[in-house]
Amino acid sequence: MSAEAQVGLGGSKLGRMRRGFRGWRGQRPFWGGLLTLLGGIPIMYFPYANLTLGTLTIRMATTAGAGSLIIGVLLVVLGLTMWFQPQSRVFAGVAAILLALVSLVVSNFGGFVMGFLLALVGGALGISWVHEKPQKPARRRAKAPDGAVPGAGGATDDLSGTSPANGTNGRHRAD
């Protein structure tokens, strides 16, 4: 969206809602949750669907229709979990991938592969999502004591990170 278009939405209620949704969406694995949720729908729908061609009715019901319904509902719940509990995104992502794999066997090839692929990709996105934390400013090095010149063989010349003089108490540090 261009800057001119954003200026037009800036003061309106729609613009505030859109910016609020964008902020909410950025704090959680939104796309992983959405794809997982959408993956559960065909998995739980197809075993109970009727396809009518003229006077011929084709029923896709399987003996594991209840299993398909449970898998689909769990995938929808896991998608919502990724949205509203981003701390448990890894658990929800792993569970979504496992349920997607089980749906291949139980539920008409995972909702005719459509639900399987959506749930698999959604679970992977949920696992791989990381919240971006604000960048901290770089630490400044401690100033040399009065009269000491850095790099001139004084107490501040030890760059190994093991000298108590530089405040590391014998531990290495990565700068």
Side-chain angles (χ1 to χ4, degrees), residues 139 141-142 155-171 173 175:
R139 286 190 324 177
R141 291 189 176 247
T156 60
D157 195 24
D158 183 17
L159 298 178
S160 67
T162 59
S163 171
N166 60 12
T168 57
N169 196 18
R171 295 186 179 98
R173 66 176 180 183
D175 285 352

Side-chain angles (χ1 to χ4, degrees), residues 4 6 11 33 35 40 57 63 67 71 79 82 85 87 95 103 126 131 134 138 149 151 157-158 163 165-166 171:
E4 292 84 17
Q6 286 183 350
L35 290 178
T57 300
T63 57
I71 289 172
M82 286 185 210
Q85 296 254 330
Q87 307 89 318
S103 75
H131 186 276
V149 178
D157 195 24
D158 183 17
S163 171
N166 60 12
R171 295 186 179 98

